[in-house]
Amino acid sequence: MKSEDECESIQDKWLYSIRNMHLLKARPAWVSGSEFEELYDEAEIASWSSEKRIQYEKNIMNQNDYDNILYERYHDGHTIGHAEGHAEGRSIGVIDGKSEVAQNMLKEGMDVELISRLTGLTEEQIRLL
């Protein structure tokens, strides 16, 4: 069996961790920033008292609930904003289309009152074109 200092390969480190984790007072230096960090974090949590683990798990669940609420609100807001933007864009497009038709009618010499009746634009809107 290899010592901590003799562990060179990933396999050596995994085997060392599995065999000795329950005896270790501190994490080996090679744990920091490595794929083993999560393993040692979970082992630390597993060593807590039952009450402390339950409280930790409740805190995690509360955080997950909070994150889900924020996500749902963001998603709902995005959906509503998209629908409102679509409706506003459609409304602007209709007005722009009517204005373009009214301009063409004016160029053809049609009467402002007739254009107003046909397009639904007010006579003032047509005169501003």
Side-chain angles (χ1 to χ4, degrees):
M1 185 164 40
K2 293 185 178 184
S3 71
E4 178 182 336
D5 295 333
E6 296 173 320
C7 293
E8 294 176 8
S9 71
I10 294 289
Q11 267 184 324
D12 290 345
K13 292 174 182 179
W14 273 106
L15 292 172
Y16 177 84
S17 295
I18 292 167
R19 285 186 188 139
N20 298 299
M21 189 175 292
H22 68 288
L23 302 172
L24 299 175
K25 301 289 184 216
R27 295 177 184 202
W30 42 262
V31 168
S32 179
S34 72
E35 62 273 2
F36 294 97
E37 204 159 344
E38 187 174 348
L39 170 70
Y40 280 85
D41 287 344
E42 291 297 325
E44 182 179 342
I45 292 167
S47 71
W48 292 348
S49 69
S50 175
E51 295 82 21
K52 188 174 179 178
R53 272 196 323 272
I54 289 169
Q55 186 59 46
Y56 173 77
E57 288 171 4
K58 283 181 183 177
N59 290 342
I60 293 294
M61 286 189 291
N62 287 339
Q63 183 63 48
N64 289 342
D65 289 344
Y66 179 74
D67 291 345
N68 286 333
I69 289 167
L70 288 179
Y71 173 78
E72 296 235 353
R73 286 186 179 168
Y74 168 81
H75 184 13
D76 291 348
H78 183 270
T79 301
I80 291 167
H82 182 75
E84 288 174 354
H86 184 74
E88 184 179 341
R90 177 169 263 215
S91 176
I92 290 170
V94 167
I95 291 170
D96 287 350
K98 288 181 179 186
S99 297
E100 187 177 330
V101 169
Q103 284 176 338
N104 291 336
M105 291 174 158
L106 282 172
K107 288 178 187 173
E108 293 297 320
M110 291 181 73
D111 181 54
V112 172
E113 185 181 332
L114 178 60
I115 297 171
S116 176
R117 281 195 320 250
L118 295 173
T119 63
L121 297 174
T122 66
E123 290 183 19
E124 186 176 327
Q125 289 173 315
I126 295 167
R127 284 189 191 95
L128 292 174
L129 296 174

